[in-house]
Every structure is written in C-alpha cells, then in structure tokens.
Amino acid sequence: MNDKESGLQGQQPASLALAEPEVNVRHRWTASIVLVNVGINAAFFGPIQVLLGQQAADFSQADKEGILALVTGAGAAVSLVANPLFGTFSDRTTSRFGRRVPWVFIGALLGTIGLVGLAGAPSVAAMTLLWCLVQLGCNGALSATTAAIPDQVPVRQRGTIGGLSSMGTVAGILVGAAIAAVVAGNFRLGFIICAASLIVGMVPYLFFANDHVLDAKYKPAFTWPNFVKGFWISPRKYPDFAWAWVTRFLVNVGNHLVTLYLLFFLTDAVGFKNPEFGVLILTGIYAVLTLITAVIGGKWTDKVGKRKPFVIASSAIIALAALILAFFPTWTGALVGAAVLGVGYGVYLAVDFALLTQVLPSSASRGKDMGVINVANSLPQVIAPIIAWPLVTILGGYVTLYVVAAIIGLLGAVFVVKIKSVD
C-alpha cells in the first residue's frame, strides 16, 4: 500500500482528503517535509538574523534600528494574517494536485519573488513591501505543509514526524545563519541564495506530497460572513484546542524573552569581550541540542503514547534555562543555560506539535486551524519586545526579564493539564 492509500481503505479520494490517516508515511514523504521546512526557515531567518539589518544600515547608518524595526514589524503583522488565511484557502482547494501542494508552490513562488526583489530594493518603502511579500509567501507555504501532517500522518507517528519537522525548522535557521556568514556583508547575494534555498527545499515536496484530492462536492459553501467568522474558534466549544493554543503562545513568549536580548545580556551583564561571537556559540549549542532532542522526544512520545507529561516537563526545563541566566550571569552560566534551553525546546517542539494535531476541531479545516495555531508562534515575536524593554530598562534588568520569562513558561506547563482529550 502506498502513501496515496493512507486513510480508510476502500474510500474514494475525495473522502480520503478528510479521513483520519491510518497508514504510516514513507521515508521519502518525511524527507520532503523536512526539506521544505529547511528551505522556508532559511528564507525567513537568513534575512531576519543578518541580511535585513545590513540592508537597513546600507540605506542609513544613523537610522538603521528604526528601519529594521519598521520592516520586521510590518512583516510580522503580515505573518499573523497569512497563516490562517492560506490555511483556509488550502482547505477549500479542489485542485487535481491536492489541497496543500498548490499553496506550497504559490507561497514559495511569492517568497522567491520577494527575496530576489529585496536584492535590488531601491528604497526603504520597497524593502518593506518586499519583505511583507516574503512573509506572505513563506507563511502561506508553511501553513499548507503544517496542515499536511495531520492530513497524512497517523496519530501514532505524529511525535516522530513532528520531531523531524522541527529538526528541519532548526536546520533552516542554521542554514540561514550560514548563508549570512558566507556572503560576508554582501546582503544582495545573501537574498539570492536564500531564494535558491527556498526553491530547492520546495521541489521534493511537490513530487512526493501524495496530497489527496478533495472533490468539489465536499467543498463548503462560501459566504463572506462565514469565511470571516471561521477564523474564530470558540474556546467554549473547543476547550482543548483553546488551551493548546494558550500553552504554545505562553511557552513561545517565554522562549523569545530568553533569546531576544542575548547580545546585550552578554555585553552588559556577562561582560563578554566578543558578544557577537558569544551569540554564535550559544545559538549553535542551543540549535544542536534542539535538533537532537526534537528527534528523540518525538520518537519517545510515540512509543509511550502520551503527550502531556512531555510537554509539561519540557516547558519546565525551558523555564529552568531562564532562571539559570537570571541568577548565574556568567559565561559558564550562559553556556549551561543555552544547553538546557535546547534540551527543553527540542522536546517541546516535537511533542507539543503532535498534541496540537490531536485537538483540531475538524478534518475539513485542518489548514485554517493549524494556521490559527501558527499565530501562537508568530504573535510572541511582536509581544516579546513590548514586554522585554520595560523589564530590562526600568523594572530590574536581566534578572527580572529572565524570571518573568520563567514564570510565563511555567504557566504554559500548568495549563497543559487543562487539555482533557489527550493523555
């Protein structure tokens, strides 16, 4: 039996698109999901980490901070909308190529156009619009590939696939950082290489997606009021989904608070002589351990058949990392904190993803629902700086910042208990 036959045997392809999958996915499908995540995240984080900052400085050295804030803030706002919007479109797609594949292609195409355009952006306004296009396209592709996992992967395998998908995410971040380092200040070339990475990551998925076709008769009737209302998922009607969203949001806020001011923490609190190099070392430790523990945690949770204990424990470990930074502001403390954070976040990424796929309200709206979940990943990028700035500058400095990050992360662990339909 091949991947196309996953789901309920004997059903027509139209119903297979909405069925709960029963057959394990093949290695080539898994590899395509990993690679598309590598490509998407390289396209995101190469620019975010370095290239956009270099371009902002090229426009105006004096105003580079304001330009970067404008560009990234506008892009973050677009990402909040793009995820659920593209997810909804993919849920309703009746293409012969399947529901998700067309939107992965369209999203990657838009992202590629935006990245290539950034290489020659003539003004800050153009830079802002093109980065918004990159965010629109890449988040659109991400929402479709994220929805493909509950479409194709049976529950018993979702921890493993979630871990490998998370591995692709972290690997993409590292690839983005490597691209920025290799081009050595030539941000125009960096944008082109990021665009190429996005294309290369997408192509295998187009061939191996095995996306089930949705017959037009299963497509819900469209009205604008219902379309808009569909983005609101009632916490009263779907409490497990709501608590899962809240826990992911809180843990991501805590994680962003820990990493946001790492450069300034090394400079001002630790007194590290080469803080940029220090950030690279800490990021490398964090990323490597995240890669390892995401795979291990995903396989482990599938083996024991439980999710919540892993999510609770990993959230607590993330909080512990924040406390280490708060009370041991030394280089050794930073190294230990980065390692602990990587261990906790790797397990969290894999297992919490598997848990989330098990509390989705409907098989017919997986794309939209996973898009709403992805908002819990994007929104903390907007909120964390708003929380962090007064904590560092007015309310006690880095000790306060990291203690608050730990408390927020622990709240995420506590609220997991509220989820009743998953062990």
Side-chain angles (χ1 to χ4, degrees):
M1 183 176 294
N2 59 32
D3 294 334
K4 273 283 193 184
E5 296 169 326
S6 64
L8 301 178
Q9 296 184 31
Q11 291 197 18
Q12 297 301 313
S15 57
L16 283 175
L18 305 178
E20 190 66 27
E22 294 182 350
V23 177
N24 286 0
V25 292
R26 292 183 174 182
H27 293 311
R28 66 185 184 186
W29 186 92
T30 303
S32 72
I33 282 288
V34 172
L35 288 173
V36 77
N37 272 283
V38 171
I40 290 170
N41 283 281
F44 273 140
F45 287 97
I48 288 173
Q49 289 174 316
V50 177
L51 301 178
L52 290 173
Q54 291 174 341
Q55 188 170 33
D58 186 67
F59 280 121
S60 173
Q61 186 67 34
D63 299 323
K64 62 182 184 295
E65 293 88 355
I67 293 172
L68 184 60
L70 169 66
V71 173
T72 56
V78 169
S79 74
L80 295 179
V81 178
N83 262 293
L85 191 64
F86 272 69
T88 301
F89 291 155
S90 71
D91 286 335
R92 302 175 54 82
T93 296
T94 56
S95 162
R96 67 186 181 90
F97 299 106
R99 292 196 292 172
R100 314 303 179 190
V101 165
W103 295 102
V104 174
F105 177 78
I106 291 170
L109 180 62
L110 292 176
T112 300
I113 293 170
L115 287 164
V116 172
L118 279 168
S123 65
V124 173
M127 177 185 174
T128 304
L129 290 173
L130 287 164
W131 179 243
C132 287
L133 182 62
V134 173
Q135 287 278 19
L136 178 68
C138 288
N139 276 284
L142 182 64
S143 71
T145 57
T146 302
I149 294 178
D151 282 349
Q152 299 275 349
V153 182
V155 169
R156 63 177 175 272
Q157 201 185 10
R158 284 185 193 168
T160 300
I161 301 302
L164 292 169
S165 176
S166 299
M167 184 183 73
T169 299
V170 178
I173 294 171
L174 290 176
V175 169
I179 291 171
V182 167
V183 299
N186 186 349
F187 61 83
R188 293 178 178 85
L189 176 60
F191 285 129
I192 298 298
I193 297 175
C194 285
S197 299
L198 179 57
I199 295 170
V200 170
M202 172 194 64
V203 169
Y205 181 79
L206 298 183
F207 285 99
F208 301 127
N210 292 320
D211 204 358
H212 301 307
V213 176
L214 179 70
D215 191 276
K217 67 182 178 182
Y218 290 90
K219 182 179 178 179
F222 179 85
T223 64
W224 279 110
N226 287 337
F227 178 77
V228 173
K229 287 190 295 185
F231 292 106
W232 170 251
I233 301 173
S234 170
R236 180 174 295 181
K237 190 174 181 180
Y238 303 106
D240 283 355
F241 181 89
W243 285 118
W245 192 97
V246 168
T247 59
R248 171 155 282 219
F249 171 76
L250 290 173
V251 171
N252 275 298
V253 169
N255 187 60
H256 282 295
L257 288 175
V258 170
T259 59
L260 180 65
Y261 284 151
L262 194 56
L263 178 67
F264 301 148
F265 171 72
L266 291 179
T267 303
D268 301 332
V270 177
F272 197 71
K273 291 184 179 180
N274 190 345
E276 291 82 6
F277 182 63
V279 170
L280 179 61
I281 293 173
L282 297 179
T283 303
I285 293 171
Y286 162 78
V288 168
L289 286 169
T290 298
L291 286 170
I292 295 170
T293 57
V295 176
I296 294 173
K299 288 182 178 293
W300 192 2
T301 185
D302 282 344
K303 185 175 181 179
V304 301
K306 293 183 181 296
R307 312 294 190 202
K308 288 198 295 188
F310 289 90
V311 175
I312 292 168
S314 59
S315 300
I317 292 171
I318 294 170
L320 175 61
L323 293 176
I324 291 171
L325 294 177
F327 296 110
F328 299 96
T330 63
W331 178 238
T332 301
L335 290 171
V336 174
V340 172
L341 184 64
V343 169
Y345 201 58
V347 175
Y348 179 83
L349 283 175
V351 183
D352 189 63
F353 181 86
L355 184 151
L356 288 167
T357 65
Q358 293 177 238
V359 297
L360 299 179
S362 168
S363 62
S365 60
R366 287 171 182 147
K368 181 262 293 180
D369 297 337
M370 291 303 297
V372 172
I373 286 291
N374 284 337
V375 172
N377 299 329
S378 303
L379 189 57
Q381 298 176 34
V382 179
I383 291 177
I386 298 172
I387 298 173
W389 182 81
L391 294 177
V392 172
T393 59
I394 302 171
L395 300 174
Y398 290 101
V399 172
T400 305
L401 174 68
Y402 291 132
V403 168
V404 169
I407 292 171
I408 292 173
L410 286 173
L411 284 174
V414 169
F415 291 144
V416 172
V417 178
K418 296 283 190 177
I419 299 171
K420 303 301 183 183
S421 61
V422 181
D423 291 332

